[in-house]
Every structure is written in C-alpha cells, then in structure tokens.
Amino acid sequence: MFITPTGEEVFVIDGHTHFWDGSPANQLNIHGKQFIDCFYAYHSSLSPKDKLWPKEQFEKYSAEQMYRDLFVDGPDDMAIVQSTYLTEFYKNGFNTIDRNAEMAKKYKDRFIVNGAFDPRDGERALEYIHYMKDTFGIKGVKLYTAEWKGESRGWKLTDPNAYRCFELCQKLGITNIHVHKGPTIIPLDKDAFDVHDVDHAATDFQGLNFIIEHCGLPRLDDFCWIAVQETNVYGGLAVALPFIHGRPRYFAEVISELLFWVGEDKILFGSDYAIWTPRWLVEKFWNFELPEDLKQEHGVDLTPQAKKKILGLNAARLYGVDVEAQKAKLAKGAYATAAG
Amino acid sequence: MNALLHECDRRTSEVWQRLALVTDPELDESVTELGFVEHVTVDDDGDVDIVFRLPTFWCSANFAFLMADDMRRAVSSLPWVRKARPQLRDHMVAEQINRGVREGMSFADALKEFAPGGSLDELRDKFRRKAFERRQEVMILALRGIGYEDPAICRMSLCSFDEVEFASPDVARQKPRYRELLIETGLACLPEDRTFVTYEGAPIKRHELASYLQRLRGVRINMEFNSSLCRGLLAVRRRELVDDNPGPTPSPCGGCSSRCAAPSGSP
C-alpha cells in the first residue's frame, strides 16, 4: 500500500517483476554472463545512487529479500512475477515458472505468477500451456520474441505457431499476453522487438489483452499508433519510468505521449524488479507533475486519478482482482503475521 | 627521433579528427564524443588500428558494422593511410564484424549466420533521415523560441538562416550540423532555397508545421531513449573495466607521447 503525503491509500500492483538466478553458477555460457551484466548496467545507470545493489546480490537474491523489497520496504500490494526462460543462456533457466511459483507460494495473496511459452516448440508449446494452466492456474504469460533458440534469433507474434498458442490461451482463459517490446538487446536487421506484429495479433485475438512491456521504446511512436487502433493493447511502464529520476523532462514527454495516444486506462506500472526497486519509483511517480507546456500542448494531465489507475487499478481490472476484497485479505494476513 | 614522434602525433591527431566525423547512426552523435573509440595506433607504414567498444555486448550488429565501416572509410580518406583497421571489442559478433570490414565484405556476407536483409546503404539512408529530422526539430524549436512565427520559419531561406545567431550552445552546435545535411542531401543548395523542407524535399505548409513537429518529436523521443541508455550503459561498462583491470586508463591517443586535440571519454 502506498500512502500519499496527504494520507490517502493507493493500491499498487507492480505489473512487472522477476525472481531470477543470473549467478555465475547458473550461467551456461558467455551470453548468460553478458545478459545479467547488461541488466546490471541498466540498474546502475538509471537508479538513484543510494539504491544501488552490489553485483553479487543483483545476480541472485532470495525470496525473502524480494518480498521485503516489494511489500515491506516497498509500496506494492501485489506483484505480477514474469517468467523468462533463456535456457540457451542459463542452466536452469533465468526465471522459470516453477522457480517463480515456488517462491510465490510462501507469500499468499501477494503474487500473480505468469507463465511463458515459445511457439517455436510447436506441439510442446501447446502441451506446456496446458501444464501451466493446470498446475499453476495462470492468467497471463510473458513472451520474449527476441529469445534465441538454436539457429533462430527470434520470432513474431504472427507466426502460425504463435497463433495456435494464442487460440489455446484464449480458450483456456489465459487472457493477458505481456510482450517484451523494448530496448534492443539482440536486434538485427529484422528487428525481433519490432512492434508491428502486435497490431495483427491484437486484431485477430479480441479475447486477449496485449500488454506491451516498455511501451515499445525506442519505438514509442509505432506503439502509440497501434495502441490507438487496438482496444486490447496496453502499455507497461517498466524501463520508461526510471527516467523520472535522472531525466524527468524526458519522462514527462514519454508519459504525455502515452496519455494522449493510449490513455490513462491502458497504462500499467511495473518496476521491473530487481532491475529497479518499486519504492522510489512509486514515490517519484506520485509526486510527479506534468510541466505546463506539455499539458497544454497535448491536452492531457497526470491527475491523481490517472496515477491510481496506472499504479494498480488497471492491472486489477485485467487480472480480475477485486481491490477492496484484496485489501481486506491483505490486512488480515498482515495482522496474522504481526500476531504470529 | 623527435621529428618522428612529432609526425606520429600529428598523424594520430588527424585520425582522431576524422573519427570525430563518424556518428553512431542511432544516436546521431560522434563516436569519439560518445567515448566509443578507445585507442588509435599509427605505424610507420601508414597502417592505422582503431580499437572501439560499444555500450553493451548486445548492441545491434548492423549498427556496429555500419560504424566500423564508416570509421574505415573516414580514416582511409587521409592521403598517408595505407590500411585502416577498426577493431570492435567485447561484442557478440566482434569477430565477424572485424573480419567483414577488414576484407571489404558486404554486410549480408559478414553476418550470414543472422541472415540480415537490406543493404548497408539502405541502413545509412534510414539513419540519415533520422539525423536530419532530429537536427531539424532542434532548429525549428529554437527559431520559435526566439520569436519566429511559423509562416516565417516555413519560408525561411538558407541565407536568412545563416544569419540567425543562437545563444544556446546546443543549438549553436546543431546549426552547422543541420546545414551540412541539407547540403549533403541536396535538399537545399542555393542561398534562396528553403531551409525547412521534409526529407522528401517537399515544402512544409505553415498550417502543417504543428503536426509535422509532432512527428519529429516522436523521432526524437525514440532516439533520446537509446541515447541516454547507451551513455549510461557505456559509463557502467567503463567503470567495470577499470575495476576489473586496475591501472592507468588508456590515453585516447594510444602510443603517442602527447594528448591530441581529440575529445575523450564519455560525458
């Protein structure tokens, strides 16, 4: 729960978190090392100085620490923990659903665990979707279209195999498709993080929501254009939000574009934990005001109501979380923990 | 001996000056200013080695290839240079890129395993457009900022533009860069030619300027995102290299005795 300076309670769902193991012991090759190094560089370059972690802690952290950073020291009420396999880089995967679910079950009512699949697995991908639904009851997945696999350097949401997976997701009620479309990590000429495939998939699967993590940055204009036309396309703020610290004017420009094109009902907060911790992000976001010139130019504002939607209400809607009931449940849990 | 050293310094300095003209295609900023180039070595036969490093191991292979090739071209244009050999370090396809550029291979051949489509020239043009639009936005906003009305901006001639003075150092820096692209692309050549046209060469109508600027802002937001991440990541990478390998930071002028005029380090 985030308490505003005026004492108001704001319900926070952190839409994008990870529980990874990027430690040297789990690295399969140089790519595993370079991948976590790159994450660490993001962490180091955009975090306030007093929020920096030592490298070793960043590579692998405990479930207890994650819980504390998000819910005790941090303002989150709930967090969506995403699964990213990267089995070509890491022996046991980077953060598989099994690892995430194991962590989440210790903390009742706190985590929404999302799965992941790779359409290039063909039939096995379909079986895996069934497995995740049956075993973990997932409501969402995180897809990583630039992931390497054998000779392949990425895939598209419009690939026939991907469509078969989406059909199954729609049928099973796995309705939230988070797609990493963000900073370029391994883009070649055919950019695997290009956002245009979202347009077609979103049109063809009206029963699914497509949450575009990182808002397609650095392809914000393409993303906005698609989001305007597709009612089931959302934007996740992870990576865009940390700019609020070092480059607030830049963040103001990005959020203005998003408010104008995508709208306050379709933007989701995400800390991208453990790249960033949520406390400072939420505090700065709540205190942030759009500069007057941008307000006027775009005719938008980042009102307290808009902030509440972005911080939690929008994600609650997508994941069917009854906010009042959830608050009551968490309060009871906190009381039980305190009493215990 | 002294004369030889002096000659080496002069040549090294010339190389740095040429390298300063090479830009990162995505950021539209000089590779030397961004701190990508770490080391230049010049030998007596006129062979030049250029060691450079990008912000991450994963930086786009096609941009890396483009920069390496641009460095080779820029340095090879010095009359005394026999061979210019850019050497990319710590990158996922460093070997392929270094070999490709050294042997004059096409982009598609050098990176065959990734089957990239399109040619290097197409890529160059794509980024030249972005650079043009980014520089253009700076100039239009700056003119608005000092009181020029939209109609005056839309019909401003090159010679009137030349006469405008800008107080902001960033704008003053971008002015010749914008002009240079206008000339290079042939979008304006004569003093009476319009200063502000689209990349296709069409005039911008005054009532369209606002929506045109909105599009330019989109271009800038994307580029700035990359630019700030790249700078941040590069700074972190440098710190780590220093941590891993304590000792004197390499001077930008490689083996030479004095520091040349080349800018060094990241901002």
Side-chain angles (χ1 to χ4, degrees):
Chain A
M1 187 69 65
F2 177 68
I3 313 286
T4 70
T6 55
E8 203 181 342
E9 292 184 345
V10 176
F11 185 78
V12 178
I13 298 183
D14 195 331
H16 200 79
T17 68
H18 310 273
F19 181 55
W20 67 58
D21 178 1
S23 65
N26 192 30
Q27 292 165 9
L28 196 58
N29 47 35
I30 177 78
H31 297 133
K33 179 188 172 341
Q34 294 287 357
F35 191 83
I36 191 75
D37 282 2
C38 184
F39 270 27
Y40 188 64
Y42 274 73
H43 166 76
S44 309
S45 63
L46 291 181
S47 298
K49 278 214 167 58
D50 60 330
K51 307 290 181 218
L52 290 178
W53 287 16
K55 180 82 173 287
E56 208 167 289
Q57 178 186 335
F58 188 85
E59 286 169 343
K60 188 179 181 180
Y61 42 89
S62 66
E64 291 72 26
Q65 181 179 350
M66 178 158 176
Y67 179 78
R68 197 170 58 241
D69 287 337
L70 299 183
F71 306 110
V72 182
D73 297 339
D76 294 358
D77 289 285
M78 297 180 79
I80 302 172
V81 58
Q82 309 284 8
S83 301
T84 320
Y85 283 63
L86 297 175
T87 42
E88 302 261 314
F89 298 177
Y90 295 98
K91 292 174 195 159
N92 304 315
F94 192 51
N95 50 44
T96 60
I97 192 169
D98 306 271
R99 177 176 164 81
N100 290 331
E102 184 64 26
M103 178 278 297
K105 79 177 181 205
K106 288 190 219 167
Y107 307 106
K108 209 166 157 284
D109 301 324
R110 287 296 190 182
F111 287 103
I112 296 168
V113 178
N114 274 355
F117 60 78
D118 189 329
R120 290 169 297 187
D121 291 336
E123 282 307 314
R124 278 191 298 124
L126 299 173
E127 285 164 22
Y128 197 65
I129 293 169
H130 276 293
Y131 161 77
M132 292 186 295
K133 186 70 194 175
D134 295 345
T135 317
F136 307 107
I138 59 166
K139 288 184 178 168
V141 287
K142 164 84 186 283
L143 304 178
Y144 208 70
T145 53
E147 188 165 344
W148 290 12
K149 193 178 197 75
E151 293 289 297
S152 160
R153 293 292 180 262
W155 55 279
K156 289 201 166 296
L157 300 182
T158 45
D159 291 347
N161 275 339
Y163 265 39
R164 291 171 66 207
C165 292
F166 293 143
E167 276 157 19
L168 182 59
C169 285
Q170 199 163 257
K171 192 174 123 202
L172 297 178
I174 302 169
T175 48
N176 298 311
I177 314 293
H178 295 251
V179 192
H180 178 112
K181 292 285 187 185
T184 302
I185 296 192
I186 314 160
L188 287 143
D189 193 55
K190 261 184 164 332
D191 187 347
F193 286 144
D194 182 282
V195 293
H196 287 101
D197 52 344
V198 174
D199 204 355
H200 299 281
T203 305
D204 292 337
F205 293 95
Q206 291 292 324
L208 301 177
N209 305 308
F210 290 84
I211 301 106
I212 306 309
E213 298 297 348
H214 321 303
C215 301
L217 277 165
R219 300 158 206 86
L220 186 69
D221 46 351
D222 289 345
F223 166 69
C224 286
W225 181 243
I226 290 164
V228 168
Q229 300 176 64
E230 307 294 337
T231 50
N232 52 341
V233 170
Y234 295 73
L237 277 186
V239 182
L241 187 52
F243 282 93
I244 203 169
H245 167 64
R247 304 199 49 202
R249 171 77 193 183
Y250 181 70
F251 175 72
E253 290 194 296
V254 171
I255 196 80
S256 305
E257 294 278 332
L258 289 171
L259 288 167
F260 179 78
W261 295 103
V262 186
E264 64 187 44
D265 293 315
K266 290 166 71 186
I267 304 171
L268 272 64
F269 160 67
S271 65
D272 225 338
Y273 183 86
I275 305 186
W276 297 285
T277 44
R279 180 168 199 94
W280 66 270
L281 287 170
V282 171
E283 280 173 358
K284 281 182 190 275
F285 182 67
W286 187 265
N287 294 327
F288 191 77
E289 288 200 25
L290 277 189
E292 206 49 48
D293 63 316
L294 290 177
K295 269 192 216 176
Q296 295 208 345
E297 195 178 335
H298 289 83
V300 295
D301 197 3
L302 189 57
T303 61
Q305 186 53 30
K307 288 173 182 167
K308 283 182 198 165
K309 289 178 179 174
I310 294 169
L311 285 173
L313 302 181
N314 291 340
R317 198 172 69 246
L318 291 184
Y319 280 86
V321 174
D322 177 334
V323 174
E324 290 312 315
Q326 185 69 20
K327 275 188 193 170
K329 237 193 266 179
L330 291 172
K332 219 165 115 192
Y335 176 73
T337 313
Chain B
M1 182 68 193
N2 268 343
L4 265 178
L5 261 183
H6 182 72
E7 176 64 9
C8 168
D9 278 354
R10 191 182 58 79
R11 289 186 161 190
T12 306
S13 163
E14 280 179 11
V15 171
W16 278 98
Q17 281 162 17
R18 287 296 156 111
L19 289 173
L21 301 174
V22 175
T23 54
D24 175 313
E26 214 178 16
L27 312 183
D28 189 31
E29 288 177 40
S30 155
V31 291
T32 56
E33 214 164 296
L34 286 162
F36 291 174
V37 183
E38 296 191 342
H39 213 80
V40 170
T41 331
V42 176
D43 75 11
D44 297 342
D45 300 324
D47 288 349
V48 182
D49 286 297
I50 305 141
V51 173
F52 74 110
R53 200 185 302 263
L54 299 174
T56 78
F57 183 75
W58 308 104
C59 289
S60 175
N62 49 4
F63 304 163
F65 192 96
L66 191 67
M67 276 184 264
D69 196 53
D70 285 350
M71 288 181 196
R72 183 189 58 79
R73 286 188 189 198
V75 174
S76 300
S77 67
L78 289 165
W80 53 266
V81 170
R82 194 174 69 169
K83 263 204 166 78
R85 291 180 295 234
Q87 290 168 29
L88 175 60
R89 294 273 164 86
D90 290 335
H91 188 274
M92 60 171 176
V93 285
E95 218 173 287
Q96 291 95 316
I97 287 176
N98 293 338
R99 187 169 151 247
V101 172
R102 196 172 57 234
E103 296 179 7
M105 292 162 83
S106 79
F107 172 53
D109 282 343
L111 295 166
K112 208 180 281 167
E113 59 182 297
F114 298 103
S119 71
L120 216 52
D121 284 336
E122 282 167 16
L123 198 67
R124 276 203 178 90
D125 187 60
K126 185 174 151 193
F127 285 106
R128 196 161 64 162
R129 165 193 282 271
K130 286 190 183 191
F132 174 79
E133 293 180 338
R134 189 173 186 187
R135 296 176 193 181
Q136 189 178 54
E137 191 209 14
V138 172
M139 299 324 303
I140 296 176
L141 292 180
L143 286 168
R144 273 183 164 186
I146 55 174
Y148 282 81
E149 302 279 345
D150 287 1
I153 295 173
C154 290
R155 57 165 193 264
M156 179 177 273
S157 67
L158 196 55
C159 64
S160 319
F161 177 67
D162 287 344
E163 283 162 16
V164 182
E165 281 185 22
F166 297 97
S168 147
D170 189 48
V171 178
R173 185 179 76 91
Q174 289 290 1
K175 188 184 170 196
R177 298 183 83 218
Y178 176 63
R179 195 183 191 285
E180 179 189 291
L181 269 184
L182 271 178
I183 305 292
E184 193 184 305
T185 50
L187 288 169
C189 311
L190 305 170
E192 61 272 23
D193 284 348
R194 280 179 193 249
T195 312
F196 298 106
V197 292
T198 68
Y199 192 65
E200 286 73 29
I204 301 161
K205 300 194 182 86
R206 63 185 186 187
H207 59 272
E208 287 169 1
L209 187 64
S211 62
Y212 181 71
L213 278 172
Q214 202 175 34
R215 204 177 62 70
L216 296 192
R217 178 172 54 213
V219 172
R220 172 171 53 81
I221 286 179
N222 291 341
M223 290 178 86
E224 270 189 58
F225 180 76
N226 288 334
S227 165
S228 29
L229 275 184
C230 283
R231 284 169 190 278
L233 297 181
L234 187 70
V236 172
R237 196 170 203 187
R238 289 175 166 258
R239 275 206 298 279
E240 283 193 349
L241 286 172
V242 173
D243 289 350
D244 287 351
N245 185 15
T249 319
S251 116
C253 288
C256 283
S257 54
S258 68
R259 292 210 159 214
C260 60
S264 68
S266 51

